[in-house]
Structures are given as C-alpha cells and as structure tokens.
Amino acid sequence: MWTSSALPHLALGLAALSGTLAASYDDIPAIQAYGQHFFYSNNGSQFYLKGVAYQENYSPNGTDNNDANTQYTDPLADASKCSRDIPFMKQLFTNVIRVYAIDPTQNHDDCMEQLASNDIYVIADLGEPGTSIDSSNPEWNVALYTRYTAVIDALAKYNNVIGFFAGNEVVSKQNETAAAAFVKAAVRDTKGYIKQMNYRSSMGVGYATADVPSRDELAHYFACTPGDDAATSIDFWGYNVYSWCGDSNYETSSYGDRVDFFSDYPVPVFFAEYGCIEGITGGPTHRPFTEVAVLYGNMTSVFSGGIVYEWFYSDNEYGLVEIKDNTVSPYPDFTSLRSQLARVTPSSTQSSAYTPRNTAPACPTVGGTTWAAMPSPLPPAVNPQLCSCEVSALTCNVNSDDSDSYAQNFDYICGANEDFCAGIAHNATTGTYGALSGCSPKQQLAYVANQYYNAQSNKASACDFGGLASTQSPTTAAGCEALISAAGTNGEGTVPSPTGQQGTAAASSTSEGAAMGIMTTPAFFDFGKAVFVAYVITAFVSGAGMLML
C-alpha cells in the first residue's frame, strides 16, 4: 500500500478543485440512453462506464437499507473530500461514480462541479436507510415518493447526472418477487415526475439487481411494457455481479451466459457493482481484476461497462483505498485495476450509425413459486394531496403518533369487516390496490377507522380505539372534492397523478444521524382480502375489549 505523498500531481487544475471556475456541470455533455447503449449528447460517441461505487460506511444491501437507525455520510456534500479523492479516481480512468444515498437538503454544487470538471458523471440511488422499498413488506407510499422526488430535485440541475436507481437488490430471495411491482411503480412515478417538472429528458431511471435466481424474470419485468406503456419500463439495467473471482474466465463466471441473455435487451445494461473478493491470493485487497479485459472487450456489444465496488475500504473488506487522517492510501487492487483499465480499448459506435432493433420483452407470468408480481395494474400513483384531503374530510380521525399501536387496530378493523380496508389493500399478485394504499400508515388507519365509525352509525364510542382516535369536523379544501370523488367512497377508485414539485419542500436530512425512516402498514395487506380469513379470529379476540368502546 502506498500513500498520496508518493503520487505525482495530476493536472486537474487547482481552480477546478476549489470550485472557483464556472459551474462546468452546466456545460458537460449529458449522457443519454439510446437503444442498448449510452451516448454523449454532443457528438454521439458511445459512452462506456468506468466507474467506482463511492459511499462511506454504507451497506447498499436491500435488507440493511431498511434500518432507519443506520447513519450515512452524503458523499457529494463535502467538497474537501471530493478534492481529496478525485485525483486518485482519475488514475483509474473513472468517468462515473455511483452514490447510494445523498441528503437532498445539502448543497452539492462544489462536488458536482469538481466531478464535471474531470469528466466524471453520477448515478444516484433514490433511497436512504429506512426510506427505501422493503423487500419483505413492500409499499410505494408518500414517504418514499417524497424522498425519491427530493433526490431528483436536488440533482436535476447537474448535466453530469446520468440518472437514478429506483431500487437496489430489493428482490434478493425467491419469495420477495412481489416487491418488484412496487419498484416498477416507483420507476413509473419518478420518470413521470422528471417529465412533469420539465427536467432534462436524458436523465433515466433504472433498477440494480443482485445475481439472484429470479434475475431473468426481474430483467424482463422491469423492461416489459404492458399495454405498450413505456412509462413503466426502466431506462437502464444495473447488474450487481460477483461471479468472476480472481483469475476466473468467461465461461466459469457465466459472463458468457449473461451476454447471451441480454443480447436482445432493449435498454443499456452494465455492471452496477463488480469485483469479487472471494478466494483471492493475498486477500481481498489484492483483486487482480482480470475481468476488466473481458468486460471492455468481447462484451461491449451488449454491456456498457461497469462500476467497481467500492472506493472506501470498510468492515466488509471491499475497498480500493484506505482513508486515514484524510490521506488516501491505495491498496494493491487499486494498482491492478488501473493497469487493467489502461490496456482496454472498447470498440465504439456512433449514435448516427446505430439503429436500435431490440424490443421490450414479454412480462413474466404470475404463477407457482417463481413469480408473484403482476405487471399491470401496478400500485397507484402516490398523491400526497389526496391523502391529506381524505384525512381532512373524515369525521373520525387518528390523532396519536403512537405507531406501535397501529397494527392491532388495523388488525381489529379489517378483521371486523374486510371491506373497511379495501381502500388500503396492496396485493401485487392479484393487482388489487386501494386508492389510499400509498398514504402514510397514520392516514390509512384514520381512513379505515372512519369506515368502521360510519358502519357503527357514527356512535361516539366507535371512534376511540383506546384513545388513538376522536371525532372532528370534516373539511374539504379547494381541489379536494375531485380527488376524493375519484378515489371513491370505499377507496377502490382511481388516484390522479400529483402535480407540482413534491420532494424538495418536504425533504428532511437523515445523513450523519439516525434516519427517520418510514413505518409501513402490516404485511398482511400484501396479500389482499384472502388473508383476512387467517387473522379474523385473532382480530376479534385481541380487539374484544374494543367492541365495547
């Protein structure tokens, strides 16, 4: 391992690193997806990703990412760290970084300008710890929509943003495929938000999958266009793959199988993470990166390069460099990666000479134990205004923020009559969704409590629920009547798409501290009405005292 003091100074420009030049993120040519490839927007030359994952002390795994107590550091908010690391990135011929969580309330101008000045682009994940789609209890709701659109708002002005991941390894097990429907809804709504806000049209939205048994169905599901609705399909596909370990080869690593599978894929495909550490002679920091020659060689007709995992060395033993006392010390695999990338010369296609011919694949079919997500209908659009309007118009409302007590009340109300909860159902396997399924748990509980209250002839005792709820005078603000009418009296109507900026004003910082996270409604709603039979007896027993309220 050698330190920065031993490195020659790179010609990066002191003015650029200090942020005193004009914001070159305004001038750098955007990268746009066209067919199966990426191209520079200014001259049409092909763009291959030569990237590195750039996030300190952070596990992007779908399960860990659901922990609201996880802290993270925004990698684009500290200009001094960017100026420290960018010279080393350029030694690796880096032209893109992947960041897993940014704080949309922070200013990113300096880092983004430094990156742009060095021809480095960004792909950003939209979630954060505690605010991402839960693999085991998936929802697409107000908290997630607010977070995702806030990230888009924060990064939309930078031309060196290629796009966003709406999910990372959300589906990692065979019994989690239903969650794909909620990620596909997130893709639809974030793409719609970019268009509605008149942000740069070349900014794409994709998904990153692990190398899991359902990977082929996932790839088809996210690229398929039911009813020719391209609004629900991804703009690019990220593949987190660690099958090439040490001095593996094209066949043993199954790289050849992946090239064959994606040869007719309609959007760009790239390695969103790569760099296996298993069985490496000398240990994890001695990765030889022999896969680089293949990735940028005979795979380039299908794959658009990749992003090495990861920059910062951490407890998981991945990492190209160690940072100590603000000094960058590269590990041996940094040198290996640099040497491998220095030798590659991927073939290039001009966009003017390229005609996309691949078409959207067929959607996977729900059935058996292999796939559980309908491609259409998807979870309804999240409309924060609808949720607020519905709550204001209720006669029985939930006042308590004691979310720990919500589950038993959901259980009790829905067990008393499943129709009370039709408006909050979210069943990906049957494609059954209530109009309020995207509202917060508190708003959803208020809605079903009001349904119960109305069914009890509006008896005051029917709007208590152990002190959680009370009656109120309903109000209908301007613009609410049409939204409530569309949702229907039982919540089984439609949800109009929201209008106007949604994320920035409502976003709150969760970086460098405990993430606020989101509470989700009980998992039984994932399976629709059929599941109510399974817990109805429990509901009446656990809520027996409540019948006397």
Side-chain angles (χ1 to χ4, degrees):
M1 183 165 60
W2 37 286
T3 65
S4 55
S5 60
L7 294 173
H9 295 291
L10 299 179
L12 296 173
L14 294 177
L17 290 179
S18 64
T20 59
L21 289 182
S24 58
Y25 54 70
D26 290 331
D27 308 316
I28 189 171
I31 303 300
Q32 55 190 23
Y34 179 51
Q36 203 172 20
H37 305 301
F38 289 111
F39 296 94
Y40 287 95
S41 60
N42 62 334
N43 59 18
S45 59
Q46 191 171 352
F47 178 83
Y48 288 100
L49 285 78
K50 296 177 182 177
V52 62
Y54 187 63
Q55 189 102 28
E56 286 184 89
N57 303 319
Y58 186 81
S59 173
N61 177 269
T63 301
D64 294 343
N65 212 15
N66 295 329
D67 184 357
N69 294 316
T70 301
Q71 299 180 358
Y72 72 91
T73 301
D74 184 336
L76 302 179
D78 190 328
S80 64
K81 291 181 179 179
C82 289
S83 62
R84 176 197 66 197
D85 294 335
I86 288 174
F88 289 87
M89 291 182 186
K90 292 308 294 180
Q91 291 191 54
L92 297 178
F93 308 93
T94 301
N95 64 7
V96 65
I97 61 172
R98 178 182 178 184
V99 296
Y100 293 93
I102 67 125
D103 179 353
T105 67
Q106 298 296 309
N107 186 296
H108 305 100
D109 287 356
D110 204 332
C111 276
M112 292 302 293
E113 190 279 326
Q114 292 184 47
L115 292 166
S117 295
N118 288 280
D119 301 315
I120 298 176
Y121 293 81
V122 174
I123 297 177
D125 288 50
L126 292 172
E128 67 175 345
T131 315
S132 58
I133 296 174
D134 190 329
S135 304
S136 58
N137 185 22
E139 292 189 72
W140 175 233
N141 58 28
V142 168
L144 291 167
Y145 183 70
T146 300
R147 161 69 192 184
Y148 286 24
T149 53
V151 173
I152 294 171
D153 288 339
L155 298 181
K157 71 177 181 179
Y158 306 116
N159 274 0
N160 54 330
V161 172
I162 295 175
F164 310 95
F165 281 126
N168 180 71
E169 300 185 7
V170 176
V171 177
S172 58
K173 300 175 184 176
Q174 201 66 50
N175 63 354
E176 294 173 346
T177 59
F182 299 88
V183 183
K184 195 171 176 73
V187 169
R188 175 201 63 206
D189 289 354
T190 49
K191 286 178 61 172
Y193 185 71
I194 291 171
K195 182 177 181 180
Q196 177 218 318
M197 293 301 297
N198 293 315
Y199 291 146
R200 177 167 44 86
S201 61
S202 59
M203 283 195 305
V205 180
Y207 176 78
T209 183
D211 195 13
V212 294
S214 57
R215 64 188 180 225
D216 292 354
E217 291 94 341
L218 283 165
H220 284 161
Y221 183 79
F222 281 104
C224 75
T225 56
D228 294 325
D229 185 7
T232 69
S233 64
I234 52 166
D235 298 308
F236 49 77
W237 183 252
Y239 188 27
N240 302 340
V241 58
Y242 294 88
S243 60
W244 187 302
C245 300
D247 295 313
S248 189
N249 58 60
Y250 192 63
E251 290 75 26
T252 303
S253 65
S254 298
Y255 275 25
D257 295 337
R258 296 295 89 202
V259 169
D260 291 342
F261 176 81
F262 286 108
S263 62
D264 60 353
Y265 207 60
V267 298
V269 181
F270 58 91
F271 286 174
E273 293 175 7
Y274 76 97
C276 172
I277 63 172
E278 300 297 328
I280 305 298
T281 302
T285 60
H286 289 70
R287 291 176 288 182
F289 284 110
T290 52
E291 66 265 48
V292 166
V294 174
L295 178 59
Y296 297 96
N298 57 329
M299 295 177 67
T300 55
S301 62
V302 176
F303 279 79
S304 294
I307 298 172
V308 171
Y309 188 80
E310 60 177 320
W311 184 253
F312 300 97
Y313 187 83
S314 61
D315 292 342
N316 62 13
E317 297 188 310
Y318 286 90
L320 296 169
V321 303
E322 180 185 57
I323 308 294
K324 188 174 182 180
D325 297 327
N326 206 38
T327 297
V328 180
S329 300
Y331 284 104
D333 55 359
F334 178 101
T335 306
S336 298
L337 179 61
R338 182 180 61 181
S339 298
Q340 293 286 354
L341 286 169
R343 293 195 290 265
V344 301
T345 54
S347 59
S348 181
T349 299
Q350 287 293 124
S351 60
S352 60
Y354 169 66
T355 302
R357 302 190 186 281
N358 294 343
T359 58
C363 299
T365 303
V366 172
T369 59
T370 59
W371 192 255
M374 289 282 288
S376 181
L378 293 172
V382 174
N383 191 321
Q385 184 184 4
L386 167 65
C387 299
S388 298
C389 288
E390 286 280 5
V391 171
S392 295
L394 301 177
T395 307
C396 178
N397 191 15
V398 171
N399 304 310
S400 174
D401 293 319
D402 180 16
S403 58
D404 291 339
S405 62
Y406 289 177
Q408 67 181 29
N409 287 287
F410 276 119
D411 193 33
Y412 170 71
I413 296 169
C414 300
N417 188 332
E418 63 185 51
D419 290 337
F420 295 159
C421 295
I424 65 172
H426 45 278
N427 184 338
T429 303
T430 63
T432 304
Y433 302 98
L436 283 81
S437 61
C439 298
S440 72
K442 183 178 181 180
Q443 291 168 328
Q444 291 186 14
L445 182 58
Y447 179 81
V448 300
N450 190 73
Q451 295 285 95
Y452 176 85
Y453 172 71
N454 289 339
Q456 304 303 314
S457 302
N458 296 349
K459 295 178 182 177
S461 59
C463 182
D464 183 78
F465 300 100
L468 283 179
S470 64
T471 58
Q472 67 176 19
S473 298
T475 60
T476 304
C480 283
E481 186 174 349
L483 292 173
I484 295 173
S485 176
T489 55
N490 62 351
E492 294 184 291
T494 59
V495 181
S497 296
T499 58
Q501 195 169 52
Q502 300 293 325
T504 301
S508 60
S509 170
T510 56
S511 63
E512 295 291 2
M516 292 298 292
I518 56 172
M519 179 202 172
T520 58
T521 47
F524 50 69
F525 290 115
D526 291 349
F527 307 97
K529 294 182 178 180
V531 79
F532 290 123
V533 176
Y535 68 86
V536 68
I537 296 177
T538 302
F540 276 105
V541 171
S542 63
M546 297 172 65
L547 285 170
M548 303 302 294
L549 297 177

